């Protein structure tokens, strides 16, 4: 049950940071079979779910995934009601092996989650995690900034020294698109070829990576930079981080940052 405690712990932190009001946000995390065995019998199929895109490359993988309509604030108290463990059993079906004990089903954003996993695994075989949340200041920025990935990346890099170190590839931005379906998943996963973080205008952010700490830290860092931006952008700024400063940071920390924005 260690993995359940780790996942519910992160979901609780996302809630207490104010980024997952009501049922906002969702998480999916690739589990090793041994981790699944510590929770349930991985071969007992409780129910199945159908998807309308090709999941061939992730057949056999297990995911712990938040249920649709569930509240992050309730995860610690009732994980088996609010979370499920699914196994991808063929090109278009997933089997539930644990959880959703009161009849729930995977998040409405599971098409995006699963398509992002498919894409990120091509980029990084150690990839395991996708978190979507409604980070407040990231959403604020999408109301007042041009919806351009390089614009967001440059502003976020220049708000604080840590940004370019934590997300050297930058952030991608999508315009408002109806959420909860396969199409927004296709668009998001397409950007995940180059980015670990994709912002949905007037909605929130999807962040991906290897571990719970890494992805939570990525969200924290992007949201912190967005908070600083929202506090200063309409004030007279006397000094800020320059292009030369950013290049100096990248050289000092051996950071392979996205080119074409500050140089
Ligand atoms: P779910 O309750 O289906 O996970 O949806 C929450 C959400 O954030 C939609 O984008
Ligand atoms: Zn959402």
């Amino acid at each position: 049950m260690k993995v359940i405690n780790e996942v519910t712990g992160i979901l609780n932190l996302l809630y207490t940071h104010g980024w997952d009001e009501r049922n906002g946000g969702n998480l999916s995390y690739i589990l090793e079979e041994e981790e699944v065995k510590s929770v349930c019998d991985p071969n007992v199929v409780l129910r199945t779910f159908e998807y309308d895109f090709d999941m061939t490359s992730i057949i056999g993988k297990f995911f712990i995934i938040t249920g649709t309509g569930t509240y992050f604030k309730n995860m610690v108290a009732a994980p088996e009601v609010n979370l499920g463990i699914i196994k991808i059993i063929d090109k278009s079906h997933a089997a539930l092996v644990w959880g959703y004990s009161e009849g729930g089903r995977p998040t409405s954003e599971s098409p995006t989650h699963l398509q992002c996993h498919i894409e990120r695994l091509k980029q990084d075989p150690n990839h395991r995690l996708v978190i979507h949340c409604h980070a407040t200041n990231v959403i604020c920025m999408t109301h007042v900034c041009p919806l351009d990935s390089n614009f967001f990346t440059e502003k976020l890099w220049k708000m604080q020294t840590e940004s370019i170190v934590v997300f050297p590839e930058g952030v991608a931005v999508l315009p408002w698109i109806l959420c909860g379906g396969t199409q927004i998943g296709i668009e998001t996963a397409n950007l995940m070829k180059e980015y670990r973080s994709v912002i949905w205008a007037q909605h929130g952010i999807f962040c991906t990576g290897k571990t719970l700490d890494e992805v939570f830290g990525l969200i924290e860092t992007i949201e912190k930079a967005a908070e600083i931006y929202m506090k200063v952008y309409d004030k007279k700024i006397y000094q800020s981080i320059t292009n030369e400063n950013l290049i100096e940071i990248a050289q000092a920390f051996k950071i392979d940052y996205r080119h074409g924005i500050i140089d």
Side-chain angles (χ1 to χ4, degrees):
M1 292 298 269
K2 183 168 167 269
V3 71
I4 304 288
N5 293 337
E6 287 168 354
V7 168
T8 55
I10 287 289
L11 293 168
N12 195 51
L13 267 183
L14 286 157
Y15 172 70
T16 54
H17 277 67
W19 304 330
D20 293 285
E21 74 292 342
R22 200 176 183 275
N23 65 309
N26 19 79
L27 171 151
S28 59
Y29 184 39
I30 298 174
L31 298 184
E32 300 294 338
E33 187 155 357
E34 286 312 307
E35 289 174 311
V36 180
K37 280 184 183 158
S38 74
V39 180
C40 66
D41 180 345
N43 298 311
V44 174
V45 175
L46 304 172
R47 281 182 277 148
T48 60
F49 306 108
E50 191 172 3
Y51 290 94
D52 60 355
F53 54 90
D54 186 356
M55 301 194 291
T56 305
S57 69
I58 52 170
I59 290 173
K61 289 206 180 297
F62 292 92
F63 296 85
I64 186 162
I65 182 163
T66 52
T68 186
T70 59
Y71 291 29
F72 280 17
K73 74 180 178 63
N74 298 338
M75 293 289 170
V76 172
E80 198 161 351
V81 176
N82 296 300
L83 291 165
I85 298 176
I86 58 169
K87 181 182 185 181
I88 310 303
I89 49 172
D90 65 36
K91 187 177 172 220
S92 49
H93 292 89
L96 179 69
V97 297
W98 177 87
Y100 305 146
S101 61
E102 292 179 358
R105 48 182 298 115
T107 169
S108 60
E109 306 296 4
S110 56
T112 296
H113 279 255
L114 294 170
Q115 289 180 89
C116 287
H117 282 293
I118 290 168
E119 198 50 59
R120 288 310 304 169
L121 282 166
K122 288 185 203 158
Q123 311 303 327
D124 177 4
N126 295 319
H127 157 87
R128 287 183 73 179
L129 176 64
V130 176
I131 297 179
H132 163 57
C133 71
H134 299 170
T136 315
N137 291 284
V138 170
I139 300 172
C140 291
M141 280 185 75
T142 67
H143 288 268
V144 298
C145 296
L147 299 176
D148 174 77
S149 302
N150 284 357
F151 182 94
F152 268 68
T153 296
E154 181 178 354
K155 296 300 176 203
L156 295 173
W157 278 355
K158 287 184 172 171
M159 288 304 106
Q160 57 186 3
T161 304
E162 281 299 294
S163 285
I164 196 169
V165 181
V166 177
F167 49 98
E169 81 280 27
V171 297
V173 183
L174 274 178
W176 188 91
I177 302 172
L178 181 66
C179 63
T182 298
Q183 190 54 36
I184 196 167
I186 292 170
E187 308 255 358
T188 308
N190 191 36
L191 290 167
M192 290 282 179
K193 289 187 173 113
E194 291 186 35
Y195 297 88
R196 289 171 299 152
S197 311
V198 177
I199 293 168
W200 286 1
Q202 294 87 48
H203 186 140
I205 191 165
F206 269 79
C207 285
T208 65
K210 301 182 202 33
T211 68
L212 293 160
D213 276 351
E214 179 195 313
V215 179
F216 185 76
L218 181 58
I219 296 168
E220 275 184 307
T221 310
I222 294 171
E223 169 62 10
K224 177 71 175 278
E227 181 180 358
I228 297 167
Y229 182 82
M230 290 309 300
K231 284 183 169 154
V232 303
Y233 87 99
D234 56 354
K235 299 191 169 64
K236 178 159 174 48
I237 296 173
Y238 289 91
Q239 57 278 313
S240 191
I241 297 177
T242 64
N243 291 352
E244 291 70 31
N245 295 151
L246 285 176
I247 291 164
E248 204 179 328
I249 298 166
Q251 283 169 351
F253 291 91
K254 299 192 172 41
I255 300 294
D256 182 18
Y257 65 93
R258 177 174 296 278
H259 291 280
I261 302 176
I262 55 165
D263 49 11

